[in-house]
Amino acid sequence: MYGIIDCDNCYVSCERVFRPDLEGKPVVVLSNNDGCVVARSNEAKALGIKEGTPYFQLGQMFPEAKIAVFSSNYELYGELTGRIVSIIKAEAPAYFRYSIDECFVYFNGIDDIDLKVWGEGLHRKIRQWVGMPVSIGIAQNKTLAKVASYFAKHFPGYYHCCVIDSEEKREKALRLFPVEKVWGIGRRYAAKLSAYGVRSAYDFSKMHRDWIRLTFNNIVIERTWAELNGEDCVPNEEYAKKKSICTSRSFNGMLSDLETISTHVSNYAARCAEKLRAKKTVASVVGVFINTNPFREDLGQYWKFEEERLITPTNSTKTIVQAAKSTLKRIFRAGYQYKKAGVIVMGITPDTPIQQDLFDISSEKYDKLRSLDGTLDRINRIYGTETLVLGSQQYTKKGGEGKAEVFSDAIKHDFRSPNPTTRWCDIIKMK
């Protein structure tokens, strides 16, 4: 048996942990640079706010509504969901974190527990200890567990935990479940299935396997069909290692000077390095891309990607940032208005053992870089992300009276909430 624990309206729930006054009120969270709505509370959904609605249109579309608006605060979301995962780790026989707000658990070989009671108890513990609601679906494979979590989230009678453990429950759930919501189907395939009269997950499960294979020629769709019919065939994700890590963002406006773009790229490269160290891995290739705004047909268009191979695989912030900056210089072309850039690290392998090149840096210098990164991570973990950064990650901006302001985050986040669990400066003060 498998289970999936899914945080309800994850970003909104994280914001409400330290703002209980927002319970029952419409809340939205915006994308990077405060562009559009990416998360909504149930109350915001009831108002008719759609995912992807531009922020500047909210006031025009809902002039009478008092909507609480927040900028994305991934530091807060990552820390709170990490607490949830630590509870799951202690309560479950085995687990795998699937995304920031979802975690799979495995019950293989465990026959002496009531899974419904276990799920309801886990929900209560997470709600009490962290302050966030979760929905739990349990079934004989991962796809059916995702179906069960949908019913646990949308029907209060399940008390946040739905178990599909019989053929009767499986068939009933699939008859009520729209095919476009099935994990692995998506809108494009759902539209194609609708043309054949397939409306529900049950309709899809009753199609012949040969028809599925000939119509879609897609192993993912075939596995989804098999799982809806009770088979367990989606591979365990813990054996699937990442082949690359990408950090990219659109700029707040358009940029044309190399120095400012280089600072953005340095920040993206530093985050890639942090992710490598968190996974205890190293990379042997650093790639960089930049592109203009394809929607501005009145401006010149340019897109370029290039990569640099490292002699020795590394997760050093300094080394990866240097490689990214040198690659950017090669692909940058003056005269264009750039809208987006990104860094991709590839050739990922475990950080031990590392095969060093005979002509590369000495082991002493390599150890010094590891010690430097370890200190950097430790300080940033205690005092908050980006407390310490490389000089190349900092932006300089003229403030009032000609004074220069130096900061490391040039993303627009006018509505970002504090981080009371990760930054001393944001710690809650009791009156």
Side-chain angles (χ1 to χ4, degrees):
M1 296 291 284
Y2 295 83
I4 184 167
I5 295 91
D6 184 7
C7 298
D8 297 348
N9 300 325
C10 181
Y11 292 177
V12 170
S13 296
C14 288
E15 297 291 352
R16 281 174 166 170
V17 168
F18 298 102
R19 289 288 307 275
D21 59 303
L22 295 177
E23 290 290 341
K25 298 179 181 178
V27 180
V28 298
V29 177
L30 305 177
S31 62
N32 289 327
N33 289 318
D34 294 344
C36 61
V37 174
V38 294
R40 303 157 292 158
S41 66
N42 291 334
E43 296 78 12
K45 294 174 184 177
L47 283 176
I49 299 175
K50 304 294 185 183
E51 187 173 356
T53 302
Y55 165 66
F56 72 89
Q57 291 183 2
L58 283 180
Q60 303 169 10
M61 298 171 66
F62 308 95
E64 303 299 324
K66 294 182 179 180
I67 305 168
V69 179
F70 291 92
S71 302
S72 295
N73 189 345
Y74 301 115
E75 183 178 339
L76 176 68
Y77 309 153
E79 203 278 331
L80 290 178
T81 55
R83 294 186 179 202
I84 293 175
V85 172
S86 67
I87 296 173
I88 295 170
K89 182 179 179 180
E91 295 292 325
Y95 78 99
F96 169 74
R97 188 168 187 175
Y98 179 65
S99 67
I100 189 172
D101 64 341
E102 293 178 301
C103 191
F104 279 109
V105 294
Y106 310 133
F107 300 101
N108 295 350
I110 307 296
D111 301 317
D112 58 346
I113 61 173
D114 186 321
L115 296 178
K116 174 67 172 170
V117 173
W118 178 89
E120 290 181 7
L122 179 63
H123 166 263
R124 286 194 298 271
K125 178 174 283 191
I126 292 173
R127 184 67 166 167
Q128 181 180 3
W129 289 17
V130 184
M132 291 176 59
V134 298
S135 297
I136 301 167
I138 299 174
Q140 62 202 83
N141 59 49
K142 298 182 186 70
T143 302
L144 288 175
K146 293 275 281 187
V147 172
S149 72
Y150 173 85
F151 290 102
K153 180 178 292 188
H154 291 88
F155 296 90
Y158 286 106
Y159 299 102
H160 298 275
C161 179
C162 175
V163 180
I164 299 176
D165 56 0
S166 68
E167 185 62 22
E168 180 184 0
K169 290 181 181 178
R170 182 190 72 85
E171 184 173 320
K172 182 179 179 181
L174 296 188
R175 287 183 183 277
L176 296 171
F177 200 72
V179 70
E180 64 268 17
K181 293 186 180 297
V182 174
W183 187 37
I185 296 294
R187 293 178 182 176
R188 184 164 63 92
Y189 290 123
K192 188 172 183 178
L193 286 167
S194 180
Y196 289 101
V198 176
R199 301 285 191 273
S200 68
Y202 181 78
D203 296 337
F204 179 63
S205 70
K206 286 303 176 183
M207 305 302 286
H208 196 279
R209 188 169 201 149
D210 290 342
W211 182 86
I212 298 292
R213 190 173 294 165
L214 290 170
T215 304
F216 294 97
N217 191 29
N218 186 306
I219 187 63
V220 174
I221 298 296
E222 187 175 342
R223 282 175 178 166
T224 299
W225 174 88
E227 292 231 335
L228 290 176
N229 281 287
E231 297 181 32
D232 180 14
C233 55
V234 172
N236 288 337
E237 280 80 8
E238 67 261 34
Y239 300 115
K241 304 298 182 183
K242 272 193 171 184
K243 296 181 181 179
S244 64
I245 294 174
C246 176
T247 301
S248 64
R249 286 199 184 110
S250 296
F251 305 137
N252 181 19
M254 289 187 287
L255 303 175
S256 58
D257 62 298
L258 175 60
E259 183 179 355
T260 305
I261 296 174
S262 180
T263 308
H264 281 279
V265 167
S266 296
N267 276 284
Y268 304 157
R271 290 188 177 93
C272 286
E274 290 170 8
K275 292 176 183 179
L276 286 170
R277 293 196 294 274
K279 297 290 184 181
K280 299 186 184 302
T281 54
V282 292
S284 58
V285 179
V286 177
V288 176
F289 70 84
I290 52 174
N291 59 264
T292 52
N293 189 344
F295 300 103
R296 289 294 303 272
E297 297 180 356
D298 56 317
L299 300 175
Q301 298 295 312
Y302 176 74
W303 185 94
K304 185 70 173 177
F305 170 82
E306 198 166 303
E307 60 188 43
E308 181 172 313
R309 183 166 294 276
L310 305 173
I311 298 176
T312 300
T314 185
N315 55 23
S316 164
T317 295
K318 182 179 178 182
T319 304
I320 291 176
V321 167
Q322 286 176 338
K325 289 181 66 178
S326 65
T327 304
L328 174 65
K329 287 180 182 179
R330 294 198 300 271
I331 64 177
F332 177 82
R333 296 291 181 272
Y336 290 99
Q337 296 288 322
Y338 294 98
K339 183 60 180 174
K340 187 175 183 179
V343 176
I344 307 172
V345 292
M346 298 167 283
I348 297 176
T349 56
D351 62 359
T352 55
I354 296 176
Q355 180 63 51
Q356 290 185 250
D357 188 90
L358 178 63
F359 302 102
D360 196 12
I361 59 177
S362 65
S363 59
E364 181 182 349
K365 187 174 180 181
Y366 180 79
D367 292 339
K368 188 178 292 185
L369 287 175
R370 291 191 66 173
S371 177
L372 176 65
D373 288 320
T375 303
L376 193 74
D377 291 340
R378 187 164 57 253
I379 293 174
N380 287 338
R381 190 165 52 248
I382 295 172
Y383 295 100
T385 58
E386 297 179 345
T387 298
L388 284 183
V389 297
L390 300 181
S392 60
Q393 291 178 247
Q394 293 185 318
Y395 303 84
T396 302
K397 179 181 177 182
K398 286 187 177 180
E401 300 179 359
K403 294 181 179 178
E405 293 182 64
V406 179
F407 54 102
S408 59
D409 191 352
I411 301 172
K412 183 179 180 182
H413 40 64
D414 294 340
F415 312 103
R416 189 168 69 175
S417 54
N419 295 287
T421 60
T422 55
R423 294 176 182 254
W424 285 110
C425 61
D426 290 341
I427 197 167
I428 295 175
K429 298 177 178 66
M430 302 297 291
K431 293 184 179 179

PDB file of all heavy atoms in Angstrom, residues 115-138:
ATOM      1  N   LEU A 115      -4.933   1.765   8.579  1.00  0.00           N
ATOM      2  CA  LEU A 115      -4.419   2.884   7.794  1.00  0.00           C
ATOM      3  C   LEU A 115      -5.303   4.121   7.892  1.00  0.00           C
ATOM      4  O   LEU A 115      -4.807   5.251   7.842  1.00  0.00           O
ATOM      5  CB  LEU A 115      -4.257   2.456   6.329  1.00  0.00           C
ATOM      6  CG  LEU A 115      -3.214   1.354   6.088  1.00  0.00           C
ATOM      7  CD1 LEU A 115      -3.182   0.968   4.609  1.00  0.00           C
ATOM      8  CD2 LEU A 115      -1.835   1.818   6.521  1.00  0.00           C
ATOM      9  N   LYS A 116      -6.600   3.943   8.024  1.00  0.00           N
ATOM     10  CA  LYS A 116      -7.502   5.075   8.167  1.00  0.00           C
ATOM     11  C   LYS A 116      -7.227   5.809   9.484  1.00  0.00           C
ATOM     12  O   LYS A 116      -7.113   7.042   9.515  1.00  0.00           O
ATOM     13  CB  LYS A 116      -8.950   4.583   8.128  1.00  0.00           C
ATOM     14  CG  LYS A 116     -10.011   5.653   8.402  1.00  0.00           C
ATOM     15  CD  LYS A 116     -10.083   6.700   7.318  1.00  0.00           C
ATOM     16  CE  LYS A 116     -11.295   7.614   7.549  1.00  0.00           C
ATOM     17  NZ  LYS A 116     -11.279   8.794   6.658  1.00  0.00           N
ATOM     18  N   VAL A 117      -7.070   5.059  10.557  1.00  0.00           N
ATOM     19  CA  VAL A 117      -6.767   5.657  11.861  1.00  0.00           C
ATOM     20  C   VAL A 117      -5.398   6.320  11.822  1.00  0.00           C
ATOM     21  O   VAL A 117      -5.205   7.420  12.357  1.00  0.00           O
ATOM     22  CB  VAL A 117      -6.818   4.579  12.969  1.00  0.00           C
ATOM     23  CG1 VAL A 117      -6.329   5.151  14.297  1.00  0.00           C
ATOM     24  CG2 VAL A 117      -8.239   4.037  13.111  1.00  0.00           C
ATOM     25  N   TRP A 118      -4.427   5.664  11.165  1.00  0.00           N
ATOM     26  CA  TRP A 118      -3.073   6.216  11.057  1.00  0.00           C
ATOM     27  C   TRP A 118      -3.108   7.562  10.320  1.00  0.00           C
ATOM     28  O   TRP A 118      -2.483   8.536  10.750  1.00  0.00           O
ATOM     29  CB  TRP A 118      -2.171   5.238  10.309  1.00  0.00           C
ATOM     30  CG  TRP A 118      -0.777   5.732  10.100  1.00  0.00           C
ATOM     31  CD1 TRP A 118       0.291   5.577  10.937  1.00  0.00           C
ATOM     32  CD2 TRP A 118      -0.286   6.477   8.972  1.00  0.00           C
ATOM     33  NE1 TRP A 118       1.415   6.179  10.415  1.00  0.00           N
ATOM     34  CE2 TRP A 118       1.096   6.738   9.211  1.00  0.00           C
ATOM     35  CE3 TRP A 118      -0.856   6.948   7.792  1.00  0.00           C
ATOM     36  CZ2 TRP A 118       1.885   7.447   8.303  1.00  0.00           C
ATOM     37  CZ3 TRP A 118      -0.067   7.651   6.888  1.00  0.00           C
ATOM     38  CH2 TRP A 118       1.279   7.895   7.152  1.00  0.00           C
ATOM     39  N   GLY A 119      -3.844   7.619   9.206  1.00  0.00           N
ATOM     40  CA  GLY A 119      -3.902   8.849   8.411  1.00  0.00           C
ATOM     41  C   GLY A 119      -4.568   9.995   9.158  1.00  0.00           C
ATOM     42  O   GLY A 119      -4.076  11.126   9.137  1.00  0.00           O
ATOM     43  N   GLU A 120      -5.680   9.717   9.835  1.00  0.00           N
ATOM     44  CA  GLU A 120      -6.368  10.772  10.584  1.00  0.00           C
ATOM     45  C   GLU A 120      -5.496  11.275  11.734  1.00  0.00           C
ATOM     46  O   GLU A 120      -5.463  12.474  12.029  1.00  0.00           O
ATOM     47  CB  GLU A 120      -7.698  10.246  11.113  1.00  0.00           C
ATOM     48  CG  GLU A 120      -8.731  10.001  10.020  1.00  0.00           C
ATOM     49  CD  GLU A 120     -10.061   9.509  10.570  1.00  0.00           C
ATOM     50  OE1 GLU A 120     -10.222   9.493  11.816  1.00  0.00           O
ATOM     51  OE2 GLU A 120     -10.937   9.134   9.772  1.00  0.00           O
ATOM     52  N   GLY A 121      -4.759  10.346  12.375  1.00  0.00           N
ATOM     53  CA  GLY A 121      -3.865  10.748  13.459  1.00  0.00           C
ATOM     54  C   GLY A 121      -2.714  11.599  12.957  1.00  0.00           C
ATOM     55  O   GLY A 121      -2.320  12.579  13.616  1.00  0.00           O
ATOM     56  N   LEU A 122      -2.180  11.260  11.771  1.00  0.00           N
ATOM     57  CA  LEU A 122      -1.087  12.048  11.199  1.00  0.00           C
ATOM     58  C   LEU A 122      -1.563  13.451  10.857  1.00  0.00           C
ATOM     59  O   LEU A 122      -0.852  14.441  11.100  1.00  0.00           O
ATOM     60  CB  LEU A 122      -0.539  11.355   9.946  1.00  0.00           C
ATOM     61  CG  LEU A 122       0.609  12.079   9.228  1.00  0.00           C
ATOM     62  CD1 LEU A 122       1.828  12.188  10.144  1.00  0.00           C
ATOM     63  CD2 LEU A 122       0.976  11.365   7.928  1.00  0.00           C
ATOM     64  N   HIS A 123      -2.764  13.562  10.305  1.00  0.00           N
ATOM     65  CA  HIS A 123      -3.313  14.890  10.000  1.00  0.00           C
ATOM     66  C   HIS A 123      -3.418  15.739  11.260  1.00  0.00           C
ATOM     67  O   HIS A 123      -3.027  16.912  11.268  1.00  0.00           O
ATOM     68  CB  HIS A 123      -4.685  14.770   9.347  1.00  0.00           C
ATOM     69  CG  HIS A 123      -5.433  16.063   9.329  1.00  0.00           C
ATOM     70  ND1 HIS A 123      -6.390  16.396  10.279  1.00  0.00           N
ATOM     71  CD2 HIS A 123      -5.349  17.149   8.515  1.00  0.00           C
ATOM     72  CE1 HIS A 123      -6.853  17.603  10.041  1.00  0.00           C
ATOM     73  NE2 HIS A 123      -6.254  18.079   8.966  1.00  0.00           N
ATOM     74  N   ARG A 124      -3.942  15.152  12.343  1.00  0.00           N
ATOM     75  CA  ARG A 124      -4.107  15.908  13.589  1.00  0.00           C
ATOM     76  C   ARG A 124      -2.761  16.363  14.146  1.00  0.00           C
ATOM     77  O   ARG A 124      -2.627  17.492  14.623  1.00  0.00           O
ATOM     78  CB  ARG A 124      -4.838  15.063  14.628  1.00  0.00           C
ATOM     79  CG  ARG A 124      -6.327  14.889  14.360  1.00  0.00           C
ATOM     80  CD  ARG A 124      -7.044  14.345  15.565  1.00  0.00           C
ATOM     81  NE  ARG A 124      -6.556  13.022  15.927  1.00  0.00           N
ATOM     82  CZ  ARG A 124      -7.039  11.889  15.452  1.00  0.00           C
ATOM     83  NH1 ARG A 124      -8.040  11.891  14.584  1.00  0.00           N
ATOM     84  NH2 ARG A 124      -6.548  10.729  15.842  1.00  0.00           N
ATOM     85  N   LYS A 125      -1.757  15.498  14.069  1.00  0.00           N
ATOM     86  CA  LYS A 125      -0.433  15.840  14.602  1.00  0.00           C
ATOM     87  C   LYS A 125       0.188  16.981  13.804  1.00  0.00           C
ATOM     88  O   LYS A 125       0.733  17.938  14.380  1.00  0.00           O
ATOM     89  CB  LYS A 125       0.487  14.620  14.583  1.00  0.00           C
ATOM     90  CG  LYS A 125       1.890  14.914  15.086  1.00  0.00           C
ATOM     91  CD  LYS A 125       2.731  13.654  15.196  1.00  0.00           C
ATOM     92  CE  LYS A 125       2.351  12.866  16.426  1.00  0.00           C
ATOM     93  NZ  LYS A 125       3.321  11.772  16.691  1.00  0.00           N
ATOM     94  N   ILE A 126       0.119  16.918  12.469  1.00  0.00           N
ATOM     95  CA  ILE A 126       0.689  17.979  11.632  1.00  0.00           C
ATOM     96  C   ILE A 126      -0.049  19.286  11.870  1.00  0.00           C
ATOM     97  O   ILE A 126       0.562  20.359  11.961  1.00  0.00           O
ATOM     98  CB  ILE A 126       0.649  17.576  10.140  1.00  0.00           C
ATOM     99  CG1 ILE A 126       1.611  16.405   9.876  1.00  0.00           C
ATOM    100  CG2 ILE A 126       0.999  18.756   9.247  1.00  0.00           C
ATOM    101  CD1 ILE A 126       1.518  15.822   8.481  1.00  0.00           C
ATOM    102  N   ARG A 127      -1.358  19.209  11.988  1.00  0.00           N
ATOM    103  CA  ARG A 127      -2.163  20.415  12.226  1.00  0.00           C
ATOM    104  C   ARG A 127      -1.794  21.051  13.566  1.00  0.00           C
ATOM    105  O   ARG A 127      -1.690  22.276  13.679  1.00  0.00           O
ATOM    106  CB  ARG A 127      -3.652  20.041  12.218  1.00  0.00           C
ATOM    107  CG  ARG A 127      -4.603  21.223  12.369  1.00  0.00           C
ATOM    108  CD  ARG A 127      -4.550  22.141  11.166  1.00  0.00           C
ATOM    109  NE  ARG A 127      -5.681  23.076  11.168  1.00  0.00           N
ATOM    110  CZ  ARG A 127      -5.742  24.133  10.384  1.00  0.00           C
ATOM    111  NH1 ARG A 127      -4.749  24.400   9.557  1.00  0.00           N
ATOM    112  NH2 ARG A 127      -6.787  24.930  10.427  1.00  0.00           N
ATOM    113  N   GLN A 128      -1.568  20.218  14.583  1.00  0.00           N
ATOM    114  CA  GLN A 128      -1.259  20.732  15.913  1.00  0.00           C
ATOM    115  C   GLN A 128       0.184  21.223  16.007  1.00  0.00           C
ATOM    116  O   GLN A 128       0.444  22.273  16.582  1.00  0.00           O
ATOM    117  CB  GLN A 128      -1.493  19.641  16.956  1.00  0.00           C
ATOM    118  CG  GLN A 128      -1.221  20.100  18.394  1.00  0.00           C
ATOM    119  CD  GLN A 128      -1.466  18.998  19.408  1.00  0.00           C
ATOM    120  OE1 GLN A 128      -1.792  17.872  19.052  1.00  0.00           O
ATOM    121  NE2 GLN A 128      -1.305  19.313  20.673  1.00  0.00           N
ATOM    122  N   TRP A 129       1.115  20.484  15.434  1.00  0.00           N
ATOM    123  CA  TRP A 129       2.538  20.806  15.596  1.00  0.00           C
ATOM    124  C   TRP A 129       3.013  21.895  14.644  1.00  0.00           C
ATOM    125  O   TRP A 129       3.887  22.681  14.986  1.00  0.00           O
ATOM    126  CB  TRP A 129       3.383  19.552  15.407  1.00  0.00           C
ATOM    127  CG  TRP A 129       3.269  18.553  16.524  1.00  0.00           C
ATOM    128  CD1 TRP A 129       2.283  18.488  17.474  1.00  0.00           C
ATOM    129  CD2 TRP A 129       4.155  17.468  16.808  1.00  0.00           C
ATOM    130  NE1 TRP A 129       2.504  17.440  18.327  1.00  0.00           N
ATOM    131  CE2 TRP A 129       3.645  16.792  17.948  1.00  0.00           C
ATOM    132  CE3 TRP A 129       5.309  16.992  16.212  1.00  0.00           C
ATOM    133  CZ2 TRP A 129       4.270  15.676  18.498  1.00  0.00           C
ATOM    134  CZ3 TRP A 129       5.939  15.879  16.750  1.00  0.00           C
ATOM    135  CH2 TRP A 129       5.418  15.241  17.882  1.00  0.00           C
ATOM    136  N   VAL A 130       2.476  21.929  13.435  1.00  0.00           N
ATOM    137  CA  VAL A 130       2.936  22.892  12.426  1.00  0.00           C
ATOM    138  C   VAL A 130       1.886  23.963  12.152  1.00  0.00           C
ATOM    139  O   VAL A 130       2.226  25.094  11.815  1.00  0.00           O
ATOM    140  CB  VAL A 130       3.338  22.173  11.113  1.00  0.00           C
ATOM    141  CG1 VAL A 130       3.899  23.163  10.100  1.00  0.00           C
ATOM    142  CG2 VAL A 130       4.351  21.069  11.373  1.00  0.00           C
ATOM    143  N   GLY A 131       0.621  23.609  12.283  1.00  0.00           N
ATOM    144  CA  GLY A 131      -0.436  24.578  12.032  1.00  0.00           C
ATOM    145  C   GLY A 131      -0.950  24.574  10.612  1.00  0.00           C
ATOM    146  O   GLY A 131      -1.632  25.515  10.199  1.00  0.00           O
ATOM    147  N   MET A 132      -0.629  23.515   9.845  1.00  0.00           N
ATOM    148  CA  MET A 132      -1.059  23.447   8.452  1.00  0.00           C
ATOM    149  C   MET A 132      -1.935  22.222   8.210  1.00  0.00           C
ATOM    150  O   MET A 132      -1.654  21.142   8.735  1.00  0.00           O
ATOM    151  CB  MET A 132       0.154  23.405   7.512  1.00  0.00           C
ATOM    152  CG  MET A 132       0.932  24.701   7.470  1.00  0.00           C
ATOM    153  SD  MET A 132       2.417  24.580   6.449  1.00  0.00           S
ATOM    154  CE  MET A 132       1.735  24.137   4.852  1.00  0.00           C
ATOM    155  N   PRO A 133      -3.005  22.364   7.395  1.00  0.00           N
ATOM    156  CA  PRO A 133      -3.853  21.208   7.072  1.00  0.00           C
ATOM    157  C   PRO A 133      -3.260  20.382   5.938  1.00  0.00           C
ATOM    158  O   PRO A 133      -2.665  20.935   5.005  1.00  0.00           O
ATOM    159  CB  PRO A 133      -5.172  21.862   6.642  1.00  0.00           C
ATOM    160  CG  PRO A 133      -4.745  23.170   6.041  1.00  0.00           C
ATOM    161  CD  PRO A 133      -3.524  23.615   6.814  1.00  0.00           C
ATOM    162  N   VAL A 134      -3.396  19.069   6.019  1.00  0.00           N
ATOM    163  CA  VAL A 134      -2.958  18.184   4.944  1.00  0.00           C
ATOM    164  C   VAL A 134      -4.083  17.218   4.614  1.00  0.00           C
ATOM    165  O   VAL A 134      -4.974  16.979   5.428  1.00  0.00           O
ATOM    166  CB  VAL A 134      -1.686  17.387   5.326  1.00  0.00           C
ATOM    167  CG1 VAL A 134      -0.520  18.316   5.594  1.00  0.00           C
ATOM    168  CG2 VAL A 134      -1.936  16.476   6.521  1.00  0.00           C
ATOM    169  N   SER A 135      -4.037  16.667   3.401  1.00  0.00           N
ATOM    170  CA  SER A 135      -4.969  15.627   2.979  1.00  0.00           C
ATOM    171  C   SER A 135      -4.170  14.378   2.654  1.00  0.00           C
ATOM    172  O   SER A 135      -3.099  14.464   2.034  1.00  0.00           O
ATOM    173  CB  SER A 135      -5.775  16.081   1.765  1.00  0.00           C
ATOM    174  OG  SER A 135      -6.573  17.202   2.092  1.00  0.00           O
ATOM    175  N   ILE A 136      -4.704  13.222   3.052  1.00  0.00           N
ATOM    176  CA  ILE A 136      -3.958  11.974   2.922  1.00  0.00           C
ATOM    177  C   ILE A 136      -4.777  10.972   2.121  1.00  0.00           C
ATOM    178  O   ILE A 136      -5.944  10.707   2.446  1.00  0.00           O
ATOM    179  CB  ILE A 136      -3.619  11.396   4.315  1.00  0.00           C
ATOM    180  CG1 ILE A 136      -2.786  12.410   5.106  1.00  0.00           C
ATOM    181  CG2 ILE A 136      -2.884  10.070   4.189  1.00  0.00           C
ATOM    182  CD1 ILE A 136      -2.657  12.103   6.566  1.00  0.00           C
ATOM    183  N   GLY A 137      -4.182  10.446   1.066  1.00  0.00           N
ATOM    184  CA  GLY A 137      -4.808   9.404   0.267  1.00  0.00           C
ATOM    185  C   GLY A 137      -3.999   8.136   0.352  1.00  0.00           C
ATOM    186  O   GLY A 137      -2.770   8.173   0.252  1.00  0.00           O
ATOM    187  N   ILE A 138      -4.670   6.997   0.539  1.00  0.00           N
ATOM    188  CA  ILE A 138      -3.984   5.715   0.687  1.00  0.00           C
ATOM    189  C   ILE A 138      -4.637   4.707  -0.249  1.00  0.00           C
ATOM    190  O   ILE A 138      -5.866   4.589  -0.296  1.00  0.00           O
ATOM    191  CB  ILE A 138      -4.050   5.213   2.143  1.00  0.00           C
ATOM    192  CG1 ILE A 138      -3.364   6.210   3.088  1.00  0.00           C
ATOM    193  CG2 ILE A 138      -3.405   3.832   2.283  1.00  0.00           C
ATOM    194  CD1 ILE A 138      -3.505   5.875   4.562  1.00  0.00           C
TER     195      ILE A 138
END
